Structure formats: structure tokens, C-alpha cells
Amino acid sequence: MNTVENNIPLSLKNIISFSLFFFLALFLMSFGYFQEFSEMRFNIYFVAILSWGVFFVLWAWRNLTYFQTFYTWLIFLLFFPKKELVGQSTLNLFNLGFGLLEDAGSIHLILEFFFIIALLFNLIKERKSVLNFENKVFKYIFYSLCTVGLIGLMHILVVGHRVDKNPFISLFELDQIFLAIFALLFAPLIQTKKQVKTILIPFVVMGTLLALEYFLGRFRISPLSVRYYSFNYRNAFRSIFMANDLMMGLMSFAAIGSAFYFYLNTKKNRYLIMFIAFHLLVLETFNRAHSFPLYIAIFLACLISRKIKFIAGYIVIVIGLNLISLKLSTIQPPKDMGRDSLSEYEWVANYSGYSKPVHYGYDRPGGYLSKTSSLERFGAFYRAFDLIVTNPLMGIGPGNSKKAMMSDRFKSYFDLSSLPYSSQEFYQKIKNGEHPSNSHNLYIHLVAEYGITILLALLAIGYLIFRKTAQIIVKGVSANNENLSFLFVTYAMAGYFCFQVKPLLLALFILFMYLFIRFDELREE
């Protein structure tokens, strides 16, 4: 086990090498996103991406362990821009070259595929030490997810084309299943609390960068060209590092939990300030699917851990941050930015492809709490259930559910008369293709696409979480037990997935779930 402990942090030589790969990837992203399409350019671009991938896989195989390779993927996930391109970028080299006009893809997703290959190669190299499960439930989850991965590959190779889905998008969806498998193999290699700190430091750094970007953008210190990527058409914070506001909020969960871990571990006030500031980032996504699960998770974590004093302080923090967020979001931008007399916000909205901006602050009294779509989503749940009933064993394949929900090939199986009218209406709009939508629930989404096998894996994960929760309730925890931070991050992510499908960051969820379940068993050094 000493070999694992010596693997982190990365050596200076490996840090320099990985940095070179990272900045070359940034160049590839810039070239693909800002150059117009031509066959010659795309041929050069494709060879460049393939060369980057081949050299990275060879470098990782020769110089890194499995643990280090997963760690470099984690750094890449946190800090590499993940902006997705959609149909409005019609002349874009990346978009036209890979045929992504009707879907969303990014250079990050393509380069991530090479990380998966590198992880697979290093897994084969170290299979005796990595494929060693002490926990039988984790072993069961591993084999279940491997079965799910094979089912997904079968769909892509054999039947995935039946719903006319872009094969790249199907592969991007399946990648997340394989990354979850690799996370499940990575987590047991964490043997000491020193390693936990090394893993959490990048999340704190990421949260700090996001907070800096947010404040510079919200107070219009950063250039407009940067603010276009920092805020979306609703004026909600999405960040230049993230694919969208949904990923922004979910990543903030991890940053909040990491900051709180270091606060409990060191009692330094700067980490408490980070904990509070990162909460504001969650609020400024204007998604209640972020804020409400986070509030409830922290409340439950404090209650389960018998930290009643924390609850009172947290309530004060939440009320204060909500008032600040509402005030900041109602500040109207300058009226004349020299762009056809449009306000800065209106220009950003129109430039993003929307004909009319929707500002949840000054356009809607009450801010983002003034409208709810929760009841409508029951219609999406039931439409996804139609897909499950149609093919319960194998599912309909990765990335296929959104188009399948609009297809008349999947008939209705349920009586919706007991649902609210808004739910019934939304169901019909999805089925008729008037409102393309996913299931708005990750668990239903996964079962619809991969079948009953992944449901068994999800039930096993739920069993581990609730068993550990019961142990904490019965035995209690020490006053300074840092596991409180992993408890609420696990619960917050699990709650978020009840309302959203994207981002499908199962690997991140498994990592924090493992830390929550096994943290008390780790050695100090």
C-alpha cells in the first residue's frame, strides 16, 4: 500500500508534462470553436486530436499509475472548459466536422474519451492491485455497472441507430458509465486521510476560481466577451469552465463540501468563508434543483450528526444569501452597450440564440422563486416510464431517451387522469414533439436507457448510503468528524438527481459516496 501513498501528489516532471497536454487541448478547443469549417481544416484538426489522444494515452501508460491517471482526469474535469456547442454555431469547424448541429457536444467530451482509454490500459497493467474489493456490495455494483456498459455498447453498435441518434452523443452518454466504473475502482485505493486532502484541494481551488469569476462578472469588471460565457440567457451564472448552469451547481456541491471538510479539519475561518461564498454560486444558477436539495441535505446531515447548533447558524446563512442573491439578480444592466441600443443583458441573450431575454430578477417579481415547473415534470416521468415498460430488460440505449420520448413508436401505458392538468399537458407536448425534454430524473433516465440491471446497481448504492446513515444515527459521531461534509454532499447530489438528468456525473457522486461510507476507516497518514 506504500506504493499507492507515494503516488500523490504527482511528481514535478509529471505535472509539467500534464500541463503541456492541458494547454495543447486548450489550443485544440480554440481552433475548433473559432475556425470556420473546411474539409482541409477538419482533416488537419482530426489528425491533431487523434495525435493528442495517442500521445496522452502512451504517456499515461508509461509514466502514471491507475490512481494518478484518474487524478489527472479529475483535474481535467474541473478546470478544462466544457462549453457545449449547439445548432446556432453553424459555421463552426468542430460542430460541422463532427456532425453535432442538432445535438450538443464539446471538445472536452471527445478528449475525455482518451482518458477512458488511458484508465483502461492502466487498469489492465495494475489489475491485481486495483481489482481487489474488500466490500462485497461494491463488488456487486462494479459487475452490475460493467454489465450496463456492455449493454450500452451493444446498443451503439447494433440497435442505437433506430432512434436516429448521433452516435457521438450516444458514446458521450456511455462514457459517463465507464467513468463511474473507474471511480468505483479508484475510491478503494484511497487509504489515508492525507490522500483525501490531496483529492479535495482541487475542488476548493475550483470553487475559489468560480467565485472570483462570478463577482468579476456580476459587477461587470470582466470584459463582455467573458461575461457571455459566464452567464446564460437567464442571467444565471454558468461559468466559462462549465458546460452550463446545471453542471455549475453540481460542481459547487463538491466545492462546498470540500471547503467544509477543511474547516472542520483545521478550524480556519477562510474555509468557512469559502463555504458561505460557494453557496452563493449555487443560488446564482437560479435552479431550485440545486439550492433546495443542498439546504435539505445539510439540515439532515446536522440533524443526523446531532449538531443542532449548526442548524441555527446555517438557517441564518441561507436567509442572508437568498436576500443577497435576489438583490444582485434584480440589478438592471446598462441600457446602451453600443450594440443596436440593446442592453448588455439583451445582447447576451440574443447572441445566445434567444429572441427574447428572460431575466428571472427584474422581469419577474419575486425572482427565480416566482415560477415553478415541478408539477409539469410528472408528465416527463410518466413518458419515460413508457420507455421502461417497452423495453425493461435492455433499455433503449444511451442517449436515446429524449428522442424516443417524442416518438410515436412508444405508446402510452398509463392513465394520467389523476395527474394535475399541467402534468398531462406537458406529457402530451413531449409525446407530440412540441417540447423536447428528458425525464428530469436521473434514476428514471438510466433505467429507461440501460434497463433493469442499472436499477439493481442503484438500489445497492442506496443500501450502502442508508446503512451508513443508520450507523451514524445509532453510534453518533465525534464533535469534529469531517465525515459530515461527505454526508451532505452525497445527499445533495442524490437529491439533485431526482429533478435533473444533466450533468451525468456519476463518477463524482460515487467518489463522495465512498468517502462518506469509508472515511472513518481511513488511516491518518
Side-chain angles (χ1 to χ4, degrees):
M1 203 58 66
N2 289 332
T3 57
V4 174
E5 293 179 5
N6 293 333
N7 282 336
I8 54 174
L10 300 174
S11 68
L12 179 60
K13 179 182 177 182
N14 286 335
I15 291 174
I16 294 173
S17 298
F18 179 67
S19 298
L20 179 61
F21 279 108
F22 188 91
F23 287 112
L24 283 173
L26 284 176
F27 172 78
L28 289 173
M29 181 193 73
S30 302
F31 187 81
Y33 284 12
F34 299 109
Q35 292 291 320
E36 292 186 2
F37 175 82
S38 73
E39 289 190 16
M40 179 178 293
R41 284 178 180 173
F42 180 72
N43 289 335
I44 295 173
Y45 187 56
F46 183 82
V47 171
I49 290 177
L50 186 61
S51 299
W52 185 96
V54 169
F55 281 109
F56 175 79
V57 170
L58 290 175
W59 170 76
W61 182 64
R62 294 183 60 183
N63 297 282
L64 302 182
T65 63
Y66 179 86
F67 194 106
Q68 289 175 319
T69 306
F70 190 92
Y71 190 73
T72 57
W73 168 77
L74 196 61
I75 299 297
F76 187 76
L77 171 69
L78 294 179
F79 298 105
F80 191 84
K82 293 166 280 293
K83 168 68 176 171
E84 293 182 343
L85 296 179
V86 289
Q88 64 259 28
S89 305
T90 53
L91 300 180
N92 183 279
L93 171 62
F94 176 83
N95 208 343
L96 284 180
F98 288 101
L100 297 170
L101 283 176
E102 296 181 2
D103 296 296
S106 70
I107 184 68
H108 170 267
L109 291 172
I110 287 182
L111 297 183
E112 194 173 59
F113 176 73
F114 295 108
F115 279 87
I116 291 175
I117 296 176
L119 283 164
L120 181 60
F121 279 16
N122 279 335
L123 172 61
I124 295 172
K125 183 175 66 175
E126 303 176 34
R127 58 189 178 278
K128 291 184 179 180
S129 58
V130 176
L131 293 172
N132 184 21
F133 292 99
E134 298 179 1
N135 187 302
K136 292 183 179 179
V137 181
F138 273 103
K139 186 176 182 179
Y140 170 78
I141 296 171
F142 168 74
Y143 284 116
S144 297
L145 290 179
C146 287
T147 303
V148 168
L150 292 175
I151 291 172
L153 283 175
M154 183 202 71
H155 274 289
I156 292 175
L157 296 175
V158 182
V159 299
H161 64 279
R162 290 183 183 173
V163 290
D164 302 320
K165 187 70 178 176
N166 187 312
F168 277 112
I169 303 302
S170 296
L171 191 59
F172 295 158
E173 294 266 349
L174 185 59
D175 281 355
Q176 302 309 309
I177 298 295
F178 285 111
L179 287 169
I181 295 171
F182 291 132
L184 201 63
L185 296 174
F186 168 81
L189 298 178
I190 304 171
Q191 296 293 317
T192 69
K193 294 180 180 180
K194 180 180 178 182
Q195 290 176 318
V196 173
K197 292 179 181 179
T198 306
I199 292 168
L200 296 185
I201 285 174
F203 290 99
V204 174
V205 174
M206 176 201 67
T208 304
L209 290 175
L210 293 175
L212 181 63
E213 178 192 355
Y214 167 76
F215 285 109
L216 290 177
R218 184 61 81 197
F219 292 102
R220 301 182 186 89
I221 299 173
S222 56
L224 180 59
S225 57
V226 174
R227 293 201 293 277
Y228 163 66
Y229 292 102
S230 297
F231 296 89
N232 67 9
Y233 72 101
R234 300 186 305 171
N235 205 25
F237 185 52
R238 68 179 179 190
S239 176
I240 59 176
F241 295 101
M242 303 300 163
N244 48 46
D245 54 312
L246 296 178
M247 179 179 281
M248 167 61 229
L250 195 62
M251 288 289 199
S252 295
F253 288 175
I256 291 168
S258 300
F260 197 60
Y261 173 87
F262 283 109
Y263 172 71
L264 292 174
N265 186 264
T266 65
K267 297 300 181 183
K268 293 182 179 179
N269 288 333
R270 66 171 177 264
Y271 293 115
L272 182 59
I273 294 172
M274 290 178 183
F275 172 79
I276 297 172
F278 297 166
H279 266 74
L280 187 59
L281 301 179
V282 172
L283 285 172
E284 286 294 283
T285 64
F286 297 166
N287 279 296
R288 285 154 301 172
H290 291 137
S291 53
F292 287 176
L294 179 63
Y295 299 157
I296 294 171
I298 293 181
F299 178 83
L300 287 175
C302 294
L303 197 63
I304 291 168
S305 304
R306 301 183 180 92
K307 299 184 184 296
I308 307 302
K309 292 182 179 179
F310 280 20
I311 295 177
Y314 187 65
I315 290 174
V316 173
I317 290 172
V318 167
I319 293 174
L321 287 175
N322 273 276
L323 292 174
I324 292 172
S325 176
L326 188 60
K327 182 65 176 178
L328 288 173
S329 65
T330 55
I331 298 176
Q332 295 195 35
K335 290 298 182 184
D336 188 0
M337 294 296 294
R339 299 180 186 276
D340 300 325
S341 298
L342 289 176
S343 71
E344 171 190 348
Y345 172 69
E346 290 169 332
W347 177 78
V348 170
N350 289 329
Y351 190 75
S352 302
Y354 294 87
S355 59
K356 182 181 179 181
V358 181
H359 193 296
Y360 274 28
Y362 60 83
D363 283 349
R364 286 179 178 161
Y368 62 91
L369 296 178
S370 62
K371 182 180 182 297
T372 178
S373 60
S374 300
L375 292 178
E376 295 177 0
R377 295 184 181 185
F378 282 103
F381 295 169
Y382 273 88
R383 185 54 182 156
F385 287 145
D386 291 336
L387 309 185
I388 295 174
V389 173
T390 301
N391 197 349
L393 295 179
M394 305 292 287
I396 61 169
N400 289 331
S401 61
K402 189 172 183 178
K403 285 194 174 182
M405 287 168 71
M406 297 185 293
S407 173
D408 56 9
R409 286 179 285 179
F410 296 90
K411 64 179 183 179
S412 301
Y413 287 94
F414 300 95
D415 180 11
L416 307 181
S417 59
S418 61
L419 294 180
Y421 175 75
S422 59
S423 301
Q424 298 179 43
E425 184 181 34
F426 193 46
Y427 177 93
Q428 293 299 331
K429 286 183 177 179
I430 295 173
K431 185 178 178 181
N432 298 333
E434 298 176 37
H435 189 141
S437 176
N438 56 43
S439 64
H440 285 284
N441 182 296
L442 180 63
Y443 311 112
I444 298 174
H445 170 85
L446 290 174
V447 176
E449 294 198 341
Y450 296 99
I452 197 71
T453 305
I454 201 163
L455 176 61
L456 300 176
L458 293 173
L459 290 174
I461 290 172
Y463 164 75
L464 288 174
I465 293 173
F466 286 113
R467 186 181 69 175
K468 181 62 178 181
T469 301
Q471 291 174 355
I472 293 175
I473 293 174
V474 173
K475 297 180 180 179
V477 294
S478 61
N480 296 321
N481 196 322
E482 300 94 335
N483 199 15
L484 176 61
S485 56
F486 304 127
L487 192 161
F488 77 71
V489 172
T490 301
Y491 271 70
M493 287 186 176
Y496 168 83
F497 290 141
C498 291
F499 303 100
Q500 294 289 353
V501 170
K502 303 290 186 178
L504 213 161
L505 291 177
L506 289 175
L508 209 60
F509 173 71
I510 286 176
L511 176 60
F512 278 89
M513 178 205 69
Y514 181 88
L515 292 175
F516 164 55
I517 293 170
R518 303 299 298 272
F519 180 78
D520 296 329
E521 303 172 21
L522 301 180
R523 303 192 308 271
E524 290 294 334
E525 297 294 338

